[in-house]
Amino acid sequence: MSIKLAVIYYSSTGTNYQMAQWAEEGGKEAGAEVKVLKFPETAPAAAIDSNPAWRANADATKDVPEVTLSDLEWADAIVFSVPTRFGNIASQVQAFIDTAGGLWAQGKLANKVVSAMSTAGNPHGGQEATILSLYTTMYHWGAIVAAPGFTNQSIYAAGGNPYGTSATQGQDGKIVEDVAAAVKHQAKRTVTVGEWVKKGNQ
Ligand SMILES: Cc1cc2nc3c(=O)[nH]c(=O)nc-3n(C[C@H](O)[C@H](O)[C@H](O)COP(=O)(O)O)c2cc1C
């Protein structure tokens, strides 16, 4: 059974884009039809220009499509990757989520199988809180959270966050830990649980 997986991320300086690319690989390896989509930017160009890493990432990802409400409707399963901002999701993520009320009211967000990941500037900088915060919204959607738990050895190697893969952005702007395998496992698991749900719902 083919599952439609949306990998939806927000990234100012590239680390969550990298996480999204690994999730794309994992989703494809699991046989899903995958779309990588970014949350629309809401920051003014002046803010982006003030940070060379932000401008570089914005330019490098200009061709990645922005997520739309139709994409949410399309997806059977979703993997989110979002940065930690003061222990919470980025405002760009919240701004888009707040446009989904109409879909929610029509019951079109129920039974999506979802999981989330996050990066932060510190190993314990709030990734868990960010992921759990996003999951709170998922419960309102009636989505089914397919957290990784400790279902694979790669999760231990990536720091052991059972809520979703978390990573740290180093001084060089790149991800410090070796989390690629954990991200791919998480994406595969989200697809697998998505298949179970879709099959059971036919
Ligand atoms: C406004 C703001 C708030 C942040 N808050 C935190 C934080 O609470 N904890 C932390 O470790 N890092 C924090 N950071 C660092 C970011 O989480 C980190 O740079 C981000 O995960 C990188 O993701 P990206 O490369 O995908 O943009 C913050 C950064 C910004 C700009």
Side-chain angles (χ1 to χ4, degrees), residues 43 48 54 95 111 118-119 155 161 195:
I48 298 170
W54 194 353
N111 303 329
S118 182
T119 73
I155 296 158
N161 184 349
E195 282 170 353

Side-chain angles (χ1 to χ4, degrees), residues 57-142:
N57 183 60
D59 290 346
T61 58
K62 65 178 177 8
D63 294 333
V64 177
E66 291 186 340
V67 63
T68 65
L69 294 175
S70 307
D71 294 315
L72 291 185
E73 205 174 339
W74 169 85
D76 300 309
I78 305 171
V79 174
F80 294 99
S81 194
V82 300
T84 291
R85 296 274 189 260
F86 305 123
N88 217 315
I89 61 174
S91 60
Q92 288 85 350
V93 177
Q94 190 68 55
F96 177 77
I97 281 176
D98 287 355
T99 68
L103 278 186
W104 166 82
Q106 297 168 63
K108 290 186 172 167
L109 298 174
N111 303 329
K112 307 279 178 195
V113 173
V114 302
S115 66
M117 316 187 284
S118 182
T119 73
N122 300 276
H124 305 286
Q127 293 94 331
E128 292 185 5
T130 301
I131 291 168
L132 291 173
S133 172
L134 191 53
Y135 286 168
T136 299
T137 298
M138 294 301 106
Y139 298 133
H140 286 248
W141 284 11

Side-chain angles (χ1 to χ4, degrees), residues 3-10 16 19-24 26-27 32 34-39 67 72 74-82 112-118 134-135 138 141 144 146 148 163-165 182-192:
I3 286 290
K4 299 182 201 115
L5 174 71
V7 178
I8 311 176
Y9 77 94
Y10 175 75
N16 284 280
M19 300 278 273
Q21 288 175 299
W22 287 324
E24 176 185 25
V34 186
K35 283 187 190 177
V36 177
L37 305 158
K38 64 188 179 196
F39 286 102
V67 63
L72 291 185
W74 169 85
D76 300 309
I78 305 171
V79 174
F80 294 99
S81 194
V82 300
K112 307 279 178 195
V113 173
V114 302
S115 66
M117 316 187 284
S118 182
L134 191 53
Y135 286 168
M138 294 301 106
W141 284 11
I144 297 161
Y163 308 117
T165 312
V183 171
K184 287 182 198 174
H185 168 71
Q186 179 171 337
K188 283 180 190 173
R189 177 172 160 77
T190 307
V191 169
T192 300

